[in-house]
Amino acid sequence: MDSGSCCNNIVLIGFMGSGKSSVGAALARSLSRVLLDCDTLIEQTESLRIAEIFAKEGEAGFRQKERALAEWLAHNVRNAVIATGGGLPIFYENIQNLGAVVYLKADFDTIHARLSREERAKRPLFADASNARALYEQRAQIYAARAHHIIDTDKMGDSGGIHDIASAIVARLESKGISQ
């Protein structure tokens, strides 16, 4: 598999609540890059929260917006850190065209414990924990298959975890000769 260094972007994938936005911010700061958070970009473009888009247009409508954003990013963005939504690598099979894809792997119980009730409420597909767990199980193998690199965030611990994860990503990419 290509290392995904075509455009020198670092693309973070993983399940909802796996830390893509938080780790992305730390990673972008440490590498002096811009962070592009896909969910935030869609919310800003649509002037609606993700939950409102789901309510108004359904998941299919949201996925169309997500795919269009991914295509735009693939053609127009270089040297950025891109934090995807949890479904983007599932529904956009060309995720590797965006750059070096890093899967932030965390088990479901870890993710559930990290997210407050308010955070879970913001995620339409996390409304029911048993359905969310089933979705997690379906997606985990796809994330692993589409990633160039896998970082097991469960092993990072809670104190300083975000910065530890960002450092692990930098070390992994450096070890593979991917320029920063």
Side-chain angles (χ1 to χ4, degrees), residues 8 17 22 25 44 47-49 75 77 106 127:
N8 212 27
S22 300
Q44 290 173 344
S47 298
L48 295 169
R49 307 293 294 164
H75 291 98
V77 174

Side-chain angles (χ1 to χ4, degrees), residues 73-113:
L73 291 169
H75 291 98
N76 296 290
V77 174
R78 304 289 177 265
N79 301 311
V81 174
I82 301 171
T84 69
L88 189 108
I90 306 302
F91 296 98
Y92 181 68
E93 58 281 349
N94 297 323
I95 191 79
Q96 292 145 339
N97 292 345
L98 295 177
V101 180
V102 179
Y103 170 26
L104 299 183
K105 181 181 177 186
D107 78 30
F108 183 82
D109 292 328
T110 300
I111 292 169
H112 194 269

Side-chain angles (χ1 to χ4, degrees), residues 6-51:
C6 63
C7 44
N8 212 27
N9 292 323
I10 300 169
V11 182
L12 303 179
I13 67 171
F15 198 66
M16 300 172 275
S18 63
K20 298 176 301 287
S21 297
S22 300
V23 171
L27 185 60
R29 274 192 304 278
S30 73
L31 296 174
S32 298
R33 292 187 183 202
V34 66
L35 170 67
L36 299 173
D37 185 296
C38 292
D39 285 349
T40 300
L41 290 170
I42 291 169
E43 286 181 339
Q44 290 173 344
T45 301
E46 298 299 314
S47 298
L48 295 169
R49 307 293 294 164
I50 299 298

Side-chain angles (χ1 to χ4, degrees), residues 59-160:
E59 185 175 1
F62 175 75
R63 297 298 173 204
Q64 287 177 330
K65 293 173 188 334
E66 200 173 46
R67 175 178 283 284
L69 174 61
E71 290 292 337
W72 183 86
L73 291 169
H75 291 98
N76 296 290
V77 174
R78 304 289 177 265
N79 301 311
V81 174
I82 301 171
T84 69
L88 189 108
I90 306 302
F91 296 98
Y92 181 68
E93 58 281 349
N94 297 323
I95 191 79
Q96 292 145 339
N97 292 345
L98 295 177
V101 180
V102 179
Y103 170 26
L104 299 183
K105 181 181 177 186
D107 78 30
F108 183 82
D109 292 328
T110 300
I111 292 169
H112 194 269
R114 283 180 188 161
L115 295 175
S116 67
R117 183 184 316 235
E118 294 79 27
E119 283 298 313
R120 288 191 302 271
K122 291 179 191 176
R123 294 165 166 84
L125 297 178
F126 219 115
D128 176 284
S130 62
N131 288 343
R133 183 181 295 274
L135 187 62
Y136 169 88
E137 298 296 335
Q138 291 171 354
R139 290 182 174 184
Q141 290 181 330
I142 297 170
Y143 294 141
R146 297 217 168 130
H148 298 113
H149 310 282
I150 299 173
I151 302 293
D152 188 341
T153 66
D154 286 335
K155 297 179 180 176
M156 298 293 170
D158 289 332
S159 66

